[in-house]
Amino acid sequence: MTAYPHMLAPLDLGFTTLRNRVLMGSMHTGLEETKDWNRVATFYAERAAGDVGLIVTGGMAPNREGGVFPGAAGLFTEQDIANHRIVTDRVHENGGKIAMQILHAGRYAYSPECVSASAVKSPISPFPPKELDEEGIEKQIADIATAAARAKEAGYDGVEVMGSEGYFLNQFLVTHVNKRTDRWGGSYENRMRLPIEVVKRCREAVGPEFIIIYRLSMIDLVPNGSTWDEVVTLAKAIEAAGATIINTGIGWHEARIPTIATSVPRRAFTWVTKKLMGEISIPIITSNRINTPEVAEDVLSEGCADMVSMARPFLADSDFVKKAAADKGDEIAPCIGCNQACLDHTFSGKLTSCLVNPRACHETELTIAPTEAPKSVAIVGAGPAGLATALTASDRGHAVTLFDKAETLGGQLNLAKQVPGKEEFHGLVAWFETMVARSGITLRLGEAATPEALEAFDEVIIATGVRPRDPKIPGQENPKVLSYIDVLRDGAEVGESVAIVGAGGIGFDVAQFLAHAGESPTDNPEAWREIWGVGDPEEQRGGLAPEGPQPEAAARKVTLLQRKAEKLGKRLGKTTGWIHRAELKMLGVEMVGGVNYEAIEEAGILVSSGETRDNPRVIAAETIVLCAGQEPERSLADALEATGRTVHVIGGADVAAELDAKRAINQGVRLAAAL
Ligand code: NAP
Ligand code: SF4
């Protein structure tokens, strides 16, 4: 008997059956734009081989004006159809089913050619859209229906019509963007005409035996968003227009409420989808922050939906469903919701990958094959770099010994997991522990490796990480001065007022840790909703609470300092930096840039401003925490190299600047793949 009977139950759609209730949600990977169709096909085929029920591709543009950016991929030519056929064939050969998402970005298109219901610019785009006339609207509908027909020709099992997240179809639904007075604007009946017409025409174009998923925005999280009545009315009309399944969309991209970041509670929005259950007779999918089979099973067994959508978890582990079905759920590499290698890459124009799985979207280039010449490999340091190297090398058949001074695995990941909002790091450390325990790796924990202990190994890998940078501030020997390690690892006592020196990722984390009191809102969905101002769409349009965000009371007064005269947190993750800044602002953390650290004094820290060092003032603080960056911990590497030994140095021990787990794991896996 499986632990996940609901998740693994087939779903009969009448003309076809999905093998389980798991949808791999749409993600823009950038793979199609590489034009390497074997690479695109391999990415999806590996997920199909991992037994997911139905895959949805990244969004394909129905025409030029609807592309997310100029040159966005779509099915425009016979050659495009032939290329996509390579993908669908490979998915089918691996037992999977795949639907193509049709994404018309409307005013979110990063292009001066963008179009929408009315000429109302979005707050997140530099381009005001052109208002479509009747003929222009007809062209968009026809282009979307043509894209659906071409998807069928390319061998897809279905399409997903993107109707949520504030994209084109969603823009017609709300008065916030739709100011029209013709038959496409005004009353709700008029505003919903476009999505209904699109689904009808797609159904006509593809015939009855083809999946049409409609992604419907169930809680817009923007002013003047849809009411719940409107959501239900639309869902019924979309069913009548011929959709096979309705998928959940949560929040417009311009919403100021996080919807998928790691600090969002797991399954934070499944209660919204549940409201629609029983209102329509076609299956309903729920989504957002579902990342383990346990969560998926709970969501389904509680009747929140007929199926769950998970997107990023399939970057972290293509075998998610297969492992769950084999009762090896604890071996699923967890998606920690960090966005660091997926969405942050997408929004920087880089190919998507995954922090915990650098092979994601690099399947054809980063291959991990059994070794033909097994070696003895010593790895020093059981942080992310060392662990990733150890697991990959051991998988390949090398005899691996892993040393760490500490008694536990995880290195700096153990600091991150203490921070409110970063609870997912517990799961990542637990996964490493499980995988190491089930591998043949010899563990030598609580042991500082010496050059002598490493002598007999064929290969030595130094992953000794980093040590805190010494900012050399006069007076810093004062006992009121702590390092971030004292605070996050050792639980050092901290006063009522704190100044933090350094506002990088760790400075922000320490500020969050110290300003917050009590249970983490990530573990308390109700408190989280209140903090961010998420209401019930049945009571307020768009699900925005009328009283707005309700920040929690801060545990202490925190001042975050940096020398650069730029906005603090500017260099944090592209898609998550705004969340960290907003969280600290809500906790009353004062952010001060452009300072020089003159001295630590009894009353606090003496700072001055700018190159002329004017405006000297003391920032009152009972405790000062140093988060001034890191330097490579290379002492062992240097000692070994001095004896003539060749070693591999990876992770923070190699380059500390801008070090993060993404680079550490990537470097470790790549080294081990080549050993
Ligand atoms: P960091 O991001 O490099 O930041 C170091 C901070 O210290 C900066 O604010 C820097 O700003 C300041 N600083 C540098 N040299 C200094 C000196 N000599 N005296 C005083 N201040 C100095 O390093 P980190 O915060 O230690 O984080 C390390 C890495 O961990 C990050 O790069 C990040 O990738 C990763 N991390 C990421 C997250 C995340 O949320 N994604 C969270 C935690 C850690 P000024 O030079 O302007 O003063
Ligand atoms: Fe998940 Fe982070 Fe990987 Fe993205 S990079 S898939 S958020 S673990």
Side-chain angles (χ1 to χ4, degrees):
M1 170 73 180
T2 168
Y4 317 110
H6 293 84
M7 185 182 92
L8 297 174
L11 181 63
D12 184 358
L13 298 174
F15 58 92
T16 187
T17 298
L18 305 182
R19 56 188 167 184
N20 54 56
R21 306 296 179 108
V22 182
L23 179 94
M24 172 174 149
S26 173
M27 288 177 282
H28 181 82
T29 60
L31 281 173
E32 288 82 1
E33 281 84 16
T34 67
K35 305 205 181 335
D36 179 346
W37 291 92
N38 176 46
R39 186 171 182 173
V40 186
T42 306
F43 170 74
Y44 287 117
E46 282 201 10
R47 273 86 199 151
D51 290 350
V52 63
L54 176 62
I55 295 170
V56 179
T57 66
M60 293 294 132
N63 53 27
R64 264 172 73 94
E65 59 272 32
V68 177
F69 50 85
L75 296 190
F76 305 125
T77 63
E78 284 304 317
Q79 187 57 51
D80 289 335
I81 294 171
N83 292 338
H84 280 252
R85 177 61 80 180
I86 299 172
V87 177
T88 56
D89 282 349
R90 289 276 298 283
V91 167
H92 294 147
E93 280 160 23
N94 284 281
K97 286 193 163 56
I98 183 163
M100 185 186 88
Q101 189 189 67
I102 306 172
L103 170 60
H104 190 309
R107 69 177 191 156
Y108 281 167
Y110 192 81
S111 153
E113 287 181 44
C114 66
V115 296
S116 189
S118 304
V120 183
K121 194 178 88 65
S122 104
I124 57 168
S125 163
F127 303 106
K130 280 194 216 59
E131 176 174 319
L132 286 164
D133 58 15
E134 182 75 33
E135 201 182 321
I137 291 177
E138 168 52 33
K139 175 180 184 300
Q140 308 310 312
I141 299 170
D143 288 348
I144 295 172
T146 302
R150 288 184 179 159
K152 189 174 182 193
E153 209 184 321
Y156 283 101
D157 301 280
V159 288
E160 177 173 78
V161 175
M162 184 44 153
S164 63
E165 297 356 66
Y167 287 116
F168 182 58
L169 302 180
N170 215 173
Q171 290 159 21
F172 271 71
L173 289 170
V174 299
T175 54
H176 172 93
V177 185
N178 186 343
K179 312 282 183 199
R180 305 178 72 96
T181 51
D182 60 3
R183 67 190 188 106
W184 305 99
S187 66
Y188 190 65
E189 201 187 342
N190 282 352
R191 282 182 277 131
M192 70 174 187
R193 193 181 305 281
L194 178 67
I196 295 166
E197 202 53 34
V198 161
V199 173
K200 255 194 219 156
R201 296 271 290 275
C202 284
R203 178 54 76 202
E204 280 164 24
V206 297
E209 305 210 333
F210 192 71
I211 300 168
I212 297 181
I213 306 169
Y214 183 82
R215 183 115 174 250
L216 193 151
S217 184
M218 296 199 194
I219 181 167
D220 291 331
L221 301 175
V222 290
N224 306 320
S226 295
T227 63
W228 186 251
D229 272 353
E230 290 170 350
V231 168
V232 175
T233 306
L234 178 64
K236 288 181 173 163
I238 292 290
E239 175 178 6
T244 322
I245 303 175
I246 287 192
N247 192 2
T248 301
I250 302 289
W252 287 35
H253 283 321
E254 67 203 60
R256 294 286 83 192
I257 294 170
T259 54
I260 59 165
T262 189
S263 57
V264 175
R266 285 179 172 178
R267 56 169 294 192
F269 294 96
T270 54
W271 60 276
V272 182
T273 311
K274 190 176 185 186
K275 286 173 183 285
L276 194 61
M277 292 293 279
E279 298 277 5
I280 53 175
S281 53
I282 53 175
I284 304 175
I285 306 174
T286 192
S287 91
N288 286 50
R289 288 288 284 121
I290 299 169
N291 66 341
T292 70
E294 287 74 22
V295 177
E297 181 63 20
D298 286 350
V299 164
L300 293 169
S301 66
E302 289 167 24
C304 297
D306 301 293
M307 197 169 175
V308 292
S309 168
M310 290 181 259
R312 297 171 299 170
F314 284 97
L315 294 176
D317 200 328
S318 54
D319 284 335
F320 185 104
V321 176
K322 193 171 240 174
K323 287 180 182 173
D327 210 13
K328 291 184 176 166
D330 56 354
E331 292 189 9
I332 296 171
C335 165
I336 54 172
C338 65
N339 286 358
Q340 276 176 253
C342 51
L343 281 166
D344 284 350
H345 278 206
T346 306
F347 285 95
S348 322
K350 287 193 232 160
L351 209 59
T352 287
S353 190
C354 173
L355 178 142
V356 301
N357 174 23
R359 284 195 71 247
C361 299
H362 295 73
E363 288 80 5
T364 52
E365 165 243 336
L366 177 52
T367 51
I368 296 168
T371 179
E372 282 168 16
K375 295 177 184 170
S376 62
V377 179
I379 300 169
V380 186
L387 284 166
T389 318
L391 287 174
T392 310
S394 165
D395 244 18
R396 295 191 55 221
H398 293 300
V400 176
T401 303
L402 181 59
F403 296 81
D404 201 294
K405 277 195 311 236
E407 294 287 351
T408 49
L409 301 178
Q412 298 237 347
L413 297 175
N414 292 308
L415 302 186
K417 74 185 190 190
Q418 304 301 331
V419 178
K422 291 201 161 176
E423 288 74 11
E424 290 291 352
F425 280 82
H426 285 281
L428 182 55
V429 174
W431 176 74
F432 274 125
E433 284 167 353
T434 302
M435 298 311 284
V436 168
R438 295 196 187 150
S439 71
I441 296 170
T442 304
L443 276 183
R444 287 173 65 173
L445 295 177
E447 180 178 343
T450 58
E452 298 71 50
L454 300 172
E455 220 163 283
F457 290 92
D458 298 329
E459 301 276 359
V460 174
I461 296 164
I462 305 296
T464 41
V466 291
R467 55 168 186 267
R469 177 184 288 132
D470 178 359
K472 300 193 172 68
I473 305 171
Q476 70 180 28
E477 57 293 340
N478 189 315
K480 73 194 287 172
V481 178
L482 302 174
S483 88
Y484 64 86
I485 298 175
D486 300 327
V487 175
L488 292 177
R489 188 190 64 193
D490 303 335
E493 213 165 294
V494 172
E496 289 295 298
S497 55
V498 184
I500 298 174
V501 170
I506 292 182
F508 264 73
D509 276 358
V510 169
Q512 177 81 29
F513 179 81
L514 292 176
H516 168 82
E519 190 184 19
S520 167
T522 303
D523 287 335
N524 182 342
E526 209 174 309
W528 181 87
R529 286 201 294 273
E530 213 173 288
I531 289 170
W532 284 98
V534 178
D536 186 337
E538 233 169 309
E539 284 157 27
Q540 296 96 22
R541 271 196 179 275
L544 287 184
E547 58 280 11
Q550 298 293 306
E552 45 179 343
R556 50 173 65 80
K557 173 75 195 135
V558 176
T559 309
L560 188 54
L561 302 165
Q562 80 176 13
R563 298 175 304 175
K564 286 187 282 295
E566 65 185 30
K567 184 164 82 175
L568 275 76
K570 191 178 162 198
R571 296 159 200 245
L572 295 175
K574 224 172 161 81
T575 61
T576 52
W578 70 272
I579 303 170
H580 296 304
R581 287 191 294 273
E583 280 167 344
L584 294 196
K585 216 166 147 193
M586 286 199 275
L587 286 165
V589 173
E590 201 172 328
M591 304 196 199
V592 187
V595 299
N596 309 298
Y597 305 114
E598 302 292 354
I600 310 277
E601 300 183 344
E602 271 323 302
I605 179 164
L606 175 66
V607 299
S608 64
S609 300
E611 276 178 33
T612 49
R613 308 187 94 88
D614 52 7
N615 189 21
R617 70 245 185 231
V618 173
I619 293 174
E622 287 170 39
T623 305
I624 289 154
V625 186
L626 303 179
C627 305
Q630 345 242 339
E631 275 161 6
E633 176 46 74
R634 285 193 53 107
S635 42
L636 180 61
D638 290 344
L640 286 163
E641 280 170 354
T643 67
R645 182 87 207 235
T646 306
V647 296
H648 308 272
V649 185
I650 60 166
D654 175 27
V655 185
E658 306 276 303
L659 172 75
D660 58 37
K662 177 182 79 171
R663 182 156 61 77
I665 292 175
N666 186 31
Q667 197 180 13
V669 170
R670 283 176 188 274
L671 169 64
L675 276 181

